[in-house]
Amino acid sequence: MFYSFDLEIPANTPKRAPEELEVNLTWGVITEVEIRFPPRCGGLAKVKILEHRHQLWPTNLDEWFYGNDETIKWDEYHELFEMPALFTLLGYNDDDTFKHTPIIRFEILHPLAAMAKRGITPSQPTVRRITWEEL
């Protein structure tokens, strides 16, 4: 499953009062995260992602993602087994003239598909026949 969210950030949105978009994701494993900064963002629009109001990405707590006409994308393995899976997308904008709208995307897979994507084989119990001689 793919989720895509537009985070519209008005001009002059301060860091101390960022724009917020709360999203509810589905059960599974986040296997990919992508943040698209459209052209003309100029590094002025900044984004971070929180889960249950705790910062998840970027990992360093005082930082924000930013860019200009680029996509920041990474592989992930983040389990979403407790529902609701509430995420908050935060953004602020240092541009004094234009709004900017970064796009945040998540790929969520069933745990077995997520493990297969990473090349992990789930352990299966083996069934062995017991011969009469072993009894």
Side-chain angles (χ1 to χ4, degrees):
M1 291 172 271
F2 292 94
Y3 286 84
S4 181
F5 303 98
D6 293 347
L7 179 60
E8 186 175 301
I9 311 168
N12 284 320
T13 301
K15 183 178 185 177
R16 68 182 180 283
E19 190 69 23
E20 293 188 23
L21 177 62
E22 190 171 281
V23 299
N24 190 2
L25 301 177
T26 191
W27 181 91
V29 177
I30 296 175
T31 56
E32 192 173 288
V33 181
E34 187 176 295
I35 303 171
R36 171 79 181 132
F37 291 95
R40 295 179 295 283
C41 277
L44 298 171
K46 314 250 169 89
V47 171
K48 64 172 58 178
I49 302 170
L50 285 63
E51 179 183 26
H52 296 289
R53 304 303 296 176
H54 297 284
Q55 184 171 330
L56 193 57
W57 299 299
T59 307
N60 44 341
L61 296 178
D62 294 330
E63 295 302 319
W64 298 71
F65 292 112
Y66 56 91
N68 181 58
D69 193 18
E70 66 181 290
T71 299
I72 299 170
K73 178 179 175 180
W74 67 94
D75 292 330
E76 187 61 59
Y77 191 93
H78 184 76
E79 297 174 346
L80 301 176
F81 297 155
E82 292 182 26
M83 295 293 113
L86 297 176
F87 281 68
T88 306
L89 312 178
L90 293 180
Y92 76 95
N93 186 0
D94 285 331
D95 194 324
D96 60 2
T97 308
F98 300 105
K99 70 176 182 174
H100 296 291
T101 308
I103 303 161
I104 297 94
R105 299 180 184 118
F106 301 94
E107 177 185 53
I108 301 175
L109 297 177
H110 185 281
L112 292 176
M115 289 174 19
K117 182 176 181 178
R118 288 199 137 193
I120 301 169
T121 305
S123 61
Q124 297 286 336
T126 55
V127 178
R128 185 174 73 82
R129 286 206 149 157
I130 299 174
T131 63
W132 285 104
E133 292 81 27
E134 294 177 289
L135 295 175

